[in-house]
């Protein structure tokens, strides 16, 4: 059918590391980075594929140029490629989730002054801080967030811990990176979690939180329920980002 296709790696398919950019020719960067992260990944070097994402120079003025390096097992990349091509689709690219989340957020909100994106999946929260279409900071938060936690007696303590993690990242963006205050937060839909969490964040943070609603840019005529949006966030987000580019 030759329909264009963008594949998005699952969280278990790759790891993301922040590294100092090696002082080598651009064509050699991926290989040099591979050696830099060899002790941080569980993939033998000969079997690893590495993709780098530039971090804006303004983010780490004191340290020099930094990169995010995504490392995946080559066999998994080939497996995905063969699956897509075997389906008769035209594979355009294989993306990581952070890139898709960034592209979606930039379509849904003004990120010219800085924007926080939060995706909670299987209890794990992933935070992205973006500005002018570029990722400045990406980190996995340590606090477990799910319906069970939010219904427990310890939720107040857990939420405060979560709040501290968020605020530290915001402060780092503002003070260490010199990028100003984060005043907007978008959270990807999580049924049973999003509304309550956004409500609590809005009481406790300067940033205004709201749900990342794909329906705003999803012009298919059908309304996507929060559960559908959660399940197809990355697939739908990659398709939307490409169609709107």
């Amino acid at each position: 059918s030759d329909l264009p296709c963008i594949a998005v790696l699952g969280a278990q398919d790759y790891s993301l590391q922040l590294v100092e950019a090696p002082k080598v020719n651009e064509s050699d960067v991926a290989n040099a980075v591979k050696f830099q992260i060899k002790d941080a990944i569980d993939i033998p070097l000969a079997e690893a594929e590495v993709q780098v994402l530039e971090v804006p120079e303004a983010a780490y003025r004191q340290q020099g140029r930094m990169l995010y390096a995504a490392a995946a097992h080559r066999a998994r990349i080939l497996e995905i490629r063969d699956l897509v091509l075997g389906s008769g689709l035209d594979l355009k690219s294989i993306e990581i989730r952070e890139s898709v989340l960034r592209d979606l957020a930039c379509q849904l909100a003004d990120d010219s002054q800085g924007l926080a994106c939060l995706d909670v999946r299987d209890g794990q929260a992933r935070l992205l801080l973006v500005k002018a279409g570029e990722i400045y900071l990406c980190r996995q938060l340590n606090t477990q967030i799910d319906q069970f936690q939010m219904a427990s007696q310890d939720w107040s303590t857990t939420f405060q811990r979560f709040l501290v993690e968020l605020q530290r990242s915001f402060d780092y963006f503002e003070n260490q990176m010199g990028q100003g205050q984060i005043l907007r937060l978008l959270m990807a839909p999580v049924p049973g979690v999003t509304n309550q969490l956004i409500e609590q964040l809005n009481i406790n943070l300067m940033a205004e939180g709201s749900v990342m609603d794909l329906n705003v840019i999803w012009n298919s005529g059908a309304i996507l329920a929060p559960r559908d949006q959660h399940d197809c966030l990355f697939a739908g987000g990659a398709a939307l980002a490409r169609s709107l580019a």
Side-chain angles (χ1 to χ4, degrees), residues 130-232:
V130 302
K131 186 177 182 179
E134 297 191 275
I135 297 174
Y136 277 73
L137 187 69
C138 173
R139 60 179 294 232
Q140 185 125 323
L141 304 182
N142 295 318
T143 311
Q144 178 88 7
I145 302 286
D146 53 33
Q147 280 180 283
F148 174 76
Q149 290 286 343
M150 293 173 79
S152 76
Q153 291 181 323
D154 301 327
W155 172 239
S156 178
T157 308
T158 304
F159 176 73
Q160 287 305 317
R161 199 162 57 238
F162 181 66
L163 203 56
V164 167
E165 285 196 274
L166 273 181
Q167 195 58 62
R168 278 182 183 156
S169 296
F170 291 2
D171 290 346
Y172 190 84
F173 181 85
E174 181 180 0
N175 301 317
Q176 265 64 41
M177 291 183 165
Q179 293 305 310
Q181 201 171 22
I182 292 281
L183 294 175
R184 188 80 199 274
L185 180 146
L186 282 183
M187 183 176 174
V190 190
V193 170
T194 313
N195 292 345
Q196 182 188 336
L197 192 58
I198 286 175
E199 197 174 303
Q200 287 187 264
L201 289 173
N202 279 338
I203 293 168
N204 290 276
L205 283 176
M206 281 288 291
E208 180 194 348
S210 56
V211 67
M212 184 182 281
D213 184 4
L214 267 62
N215 287 311
V216 174
I217 47 177
W218 189 271
N219 297 317
S220 68
I223 299 295
L224 289 172
R227 167 54 63 191
D228 295 331
Q229 290 201 43
H230 180 77
D231 291 344
C232 73

Side-chain angles (χ1 to χ4, degrees), residues 16 37 47 94 170 188 190 201 228 233:
L16 196 64
I37 63 173
E47 298 168 27
I94 298 177
F170 291 2
V190 190
L201 289 173
D228 295 331
L233 183 79

